Amino acid sequence: MMISERETRFLERAIELSRMGMRSGKGGPFGCVVVKGEEIIGEGVNQVTSSNDPTAHAEVVAIRMACAKLGSYQLTDCEIYTSCEPCPMCLGAIYWARPRIVIFANTRKEAGAIEFDDDFIYRELGADISDRTIQFCHEPHPGAKAVFEEWRNWEGKVKY
């Protein structure tokens, strides 16, 4: 797929942010912008190591900023430009935010070549729960079921 000059401009901003974040010591070499129309409404750089927050990936930071600006948890009619193919966590956040398109530069294989092994997590997600590296224990509880039942019947809920 060939992208337009406009899209290239936004992708290059995400790449510039990746370099800036890395050089400033905020975190890994990842940057992201969220665009609505012609306006960047969210920018993010990886801040995992500087904030001690494993969720502070560039995409998550940019999505949070954009959603705050829009006053919405949805990025309807928005575009996401990111310096690298999103990791599984960011991919999940992107799907929850529902942008129109995601354009990325580097691939997850290229990230793996510089010791960011997103492929490991992609493989873990596809593994049977009993075969995952981190132990997961399902412990059903009637209190948890009751909360779900209350949600099912709650007329004031906002579906997302």
Side-chain angles (χ1 to χ4, degrees):
M1 167 182 163
M2 293 289 293
I3 63 173
S4 68
E5 282 184 43
R6 173 190 169 278
E7 292 166 325
T8 298
R9 197 170 60 249
F10 292 127
L11 184 60
E12 288 175 350
R13 175 61 182 159
I15 294 165
E16 178 185 358
L17 288 168
S18 73
R19 181 177 287 111
M20 290 168 48
M22 175 188 69
R23 288 182 178 171
S24 70
K26 290 190 176 193
F30 305 99
C32 180
V33 297
V34 178
V35 175
K36 184 160 184 141
E38 295 301 315
E39 181 186 0
I40 293 175
I41 59 170
E43 291 189 336
V45 299
N46 182 288
Q47 299 173 29
V48 169
T49 57
S50 61
S51 66
N52 293 318
D53 179 354
T55 70
H57 288 202
E59 295 89 343
V60 171
V61 172
I63 288 169
R64 287 174 179 162
M65 180 186 290
C67 287
K69 182 165 186 162
L70 293 177
S72 173
Y73 55 87
Q74 303 255 280
L75 295 176
T76 307
D77 297 323
C78 293
E79 304 156 13
I80 293 180
Y81 298 85
T82 185
S83 64
C84 188
E85 182 178 359
C87 76
M89 177 187 67
C90 294
L91 186 61
I94 287 166
Y95 271 93
W96 281 115
R98 296 177 175 88
R100 187 179 66 75
I101 190 171
V102 176
I103 297 175
F104 63 92
N106 294 321
T107 67
R108 68 187 194 211
K109 300 278 188 218
E110 291 167 320
I114 60 166
E115 300 180 12
F116 287 93
D117 194 9
D118 296 353
D119 261 353
F120 165 73
I121 300 171
Y122 276 104
R123 288 189 308 274
E124 285 282 297
L125 291 174
D128 185 85
I129 199 165
S130 63
D131 295 329
R132 291 184 181 160
T133 303
I134 296 174
Q135 183 179 4
F136 283 77
C137 301
H138 176 219
E139 185 59 42
H141 191 284
K145 295 271 193 223
V147 173
F148 270 20
E149 190 59 32
E150 184 177 340
W151 172 262
R152 179 191 328 272
N153 298 321
W154 186 33
E155 291 185 20
K157 69 183 163 221
V158 177
K159 293 183 181 181
Y160 58 96

